[in-house]
Amino acid sequence: MKLIHLSDLHLGKRVNDFPMLEDQAYILNRILEIIDAEQPDAVLIAGDVYDKTVPSAETVALLDDFLVKLADRSLPVLLISGNHDSPERLAFANRLMEGRGVHIAPVYRGEVAPVTLEDACGPVDFWLLSFLKPAHLRRFFPEEGVESYTDAIACAIRHMPLDPARRNVLVTHQFVTGAERCESEEISVGGTDNVDASVFAPFDYVALGHLHGPQNVGGERIRYCGTPLKYSFSEARHQKSVTIAELGEKGTLNVRAVPLTPKRDMVELRGSFAQVRSPAFYGQVDRDAYVRVILTDENDIYDAIGQLRPIYPHLMRLDYDNLRTRSGAVELEEADVKRDPLELFADFYQQQNHQPMSEEQRHYLAELLEAIQEERA
């Protein structure tokens, strides 16, 4: 059975205040072209379909158009909600849409029923498990002692009526320990959202969403397909792609990636103001690309963005890298960008107070940061 694995469409997202809806419509059409060429048996969409829990009308229309085009191809679609989605809004009318082969995970209420598809090798059971937190599981299984994200996902899987003799595919949206984050993803508080990969042992393929860089976790059986577009300059060097997972007989799996070319690429340029304005420099840059310029001049250039935008019409961001910014720590080291906020604040606290935070203080700060992330999601 051939599967197209997608995730993290983030429809409606704005990057550095630039709307991405046109780029997203373009890349969804490129994905449809890949689908037509590959002729898969199903499409898996592993969460963060929208960028906001309350998407705009134009954003909803874009998803509607994509799902209709998939349904018109008589292609089963299996879709879950991520941490950016509202599971209630996304699952609206899911029972009606099942008649067109669009299966949207319902709001989690303590049980998951499989969607079963057949191929020449027999049935494949698909388990749709939207983004969950420990609190979701404690509500339904108070006796299970769910404390961590690993506990939560393990508990949800234990309560699935899995048949280990059949091929089982899990579609879920979590951060699996050992995977690599990038700047555009929400960093967890103290690593609390980590899920150990061992909980996925019963599955022949785990189609993950949540992280923007395509990557395997401990082997190709557990896979993040990544975003179809670059959503921050930390992703500028990513090769975006569509993941193809092919299941043969039980225990047989082949995974490969088909590259995606966006309407506009995302590039970083570094040099002095004179250099980045020179024809020899900008002549090598696609004028349609989204651009971040990093100026190395020691003095700020008056209205640098205004002067550069006629040359780079999609200039998204301008920064300086010089003695002033380095001494002022304006530019964070890459290692710091990837650290979680709790640890960064703990370091700051120790520098200011010459002693570490107490456990009570760390616990209070973790709860506060978690509440802030909830409001942003």
Side-chain angles (χ1 to χ4, degrees):
M1 182 171 290
K2 183 188 286 189
L3 309 172
I4 295 274
H5 173 191
L6 309 171
S7 78
D8 296 88
L9 307 180
H10 286 283
L11 299 181
K13 187 174 183 66
R14 299 177 71 89
V15 179
N16 294 292
D17 211 33
F18 276 64
M20 302 296 290
L21 212 59
E22 180 184 348
D23 301 79
Q24 291 170 333
Y26 178 90
I27 210 67
L28 290 180
N29 282 328
R30 301 293 75 76
I31 291 170
L32 288 170
E33 291 173 359
I34 292 172
I35 287 170
D36 290 339
E38 292 285 344
Q39 292 294 299
D41 298 293
V43 173
L44 316 179
I45 306 177
D48 279 0
V49 178
Y50 294 127
D51 192 57
K52 301 292 183 185
T53 55
V54 184
S56 68
E58 295 83 1
T59 303
V60 174
L62 181 58
L63 177 63
D64 176 68
D65 181 68
F66 184 56
L67 293 179
V68 167
K69 288 174 178 175
L70 292 175
D72 286 345
R73 287 163 167 79
S74 299
L75 191 58
V77 179
L78 300 100
L79 183 153
I80 65 168
S81 60
N83 57 301
H84 280 254
D85 300 309
S86 163
E88 293 83 3
R89 290 185 175 90
L90 199 59
F92 173 75
N94 65 321
R95 287 176 292 177
L96 289 174
M97 287 191 278
E98 283 181 356
R100 293 292 310 275
V102 179
H103 305 271
I104 301 177
V107 177
Y108 185 77
R109 304 198 186 282
E111 57 184 25
V112 180
V115 176
T116 302
L117 302 177
E118 298 264 354
D119 68 359
C121 298
V124 179
D125 291 333
F126 293 85
W127 306 87
L128 307 184
L129 190 65
S130 295
F131 177 74
L132 293 176
K133 294 185 175 184
H136 295 133
L137 276 295
R138 288 196 289 267
R139 175 184 174 189
F140 298 103
F141 306 105
E143 73 288 351
E144 298 257 356
V146 173
E147 297 295 333
S148 67
Y149 276 72
T150 295
D151 293 341
I153 302 307
C155 178
I157 291 171
R158 278 198 305 275
H159 289 274
M160 294 176 182
L162 285 158
D163 181 350
R166 290 158 69 113
R167 292 171 294 168
N168 291 283
V169 173
L170 178 67
V171 185
T172 194
H173 190 96
Q174 302 288 162
F175 174 59
V176 180
T177 305
E180 183 178 348
R181 296 184 187 268
C182 62
E183 182 185 282
S184 49
E185 299 146 5
E186 291 183 1
I187 299 175
S188 66
V189 180
T192 56
D193 63 348
N194 287 14
V195 175
D196 193 273
S198 62
V199 303
F200 301 125
F203 298 98
D204 298 274
Y205 183 66
V206 181
L208 290 167
H210 196 35
L211 300 189
H212 291 194
Q215 58 192 290
N216 299 329
V217 184
E220 65 181 10
R221 187 179 60 86
I222 303 174
R223 170 80 175 171
Y224 286 102
C225 63
T227 55
L229 289 172
K230 299 174 184 179
Y231 287 134
S232 82
F233 286 99
S234 66
E235 302 175 43
R237 293 179 176 84
H238 286 186
Q239 172 58 68
K240 299 302 182 179
S241 60
V242 167
T243 291
I244 312 291
E246 297 184 72
L247 295 166
E249 296 281 357
K250 177 77 175 178
T252 303
L253 173 68
N254 179 57
V255 176
R256 56 190 170 88
V258 178
L260 282 169
T261 301
K263 182 180 179 69
R264 299 181 183 90
D265 200 4
M266 187 174 281
V267 298
E268 286 187 326
L269 306 177
R270 178 185 294 269
S272 69
F273 185 68
Q275 286 174 324
V276 299
R277 293 183 71 213
S278 68
F281 197 97
Y282 65 72
Q284 301 178 45
V285 179
D286 181 359
R287 283 180 56 81
D288 280 338
Y290 292 120
V291 173
R292 176 194 182 194
V293 171
I294 303 171
L295 293 179
T296 56
D297 303 84
E298 288 301 326
N299 298 313
D300 289 1
I301 305 300
Y302 174 74
D303 191 26
I305 288 183
Q307 294 189 67
L308 290 174
R309 191 149 275 151
I311 302 171
Y312 306 106
H314 298 101
L315 175 61
M316 277 188 164
R317 179 173 167 183
L318 185 140
D319 296 298
Y320 284 87
D321 182 14
N322 53 30
L323 289 175
R324 174 182 58 81
T325 60
R326 286 194 291 273
S327 62
V330 172
E331 291 287 331
L332 288 174
E333 295 293 332
E334 184 177 356
D336 286 333
V337 170
K338 294 181 179 179
R339 294 178 65 196
D340 70 79
L342 179 58
E343 295 305 321
L344 286 170
F345 187 88
D347 285 352
F348 173 75
Y349 181 93
Q350 183 156 356
Q351 290 174 15
Q352 293 294 311
N353 297 281
H354 306 291
Q355 62 181 357
M357 296 172 65
S358 68
E359 285 304 312
E360 182 179 2
Q361 288 171 321
R362 289 179 69 91
H363 180 72
Y364 174 78
L365 181 60
E367 288 186 339
L368 179 62
L369 290 171
E370 187 76 20
I372 292 170
Q373 287 183 351
E374 286 281 350
E375 292 179 2
R376 290 175 55 197

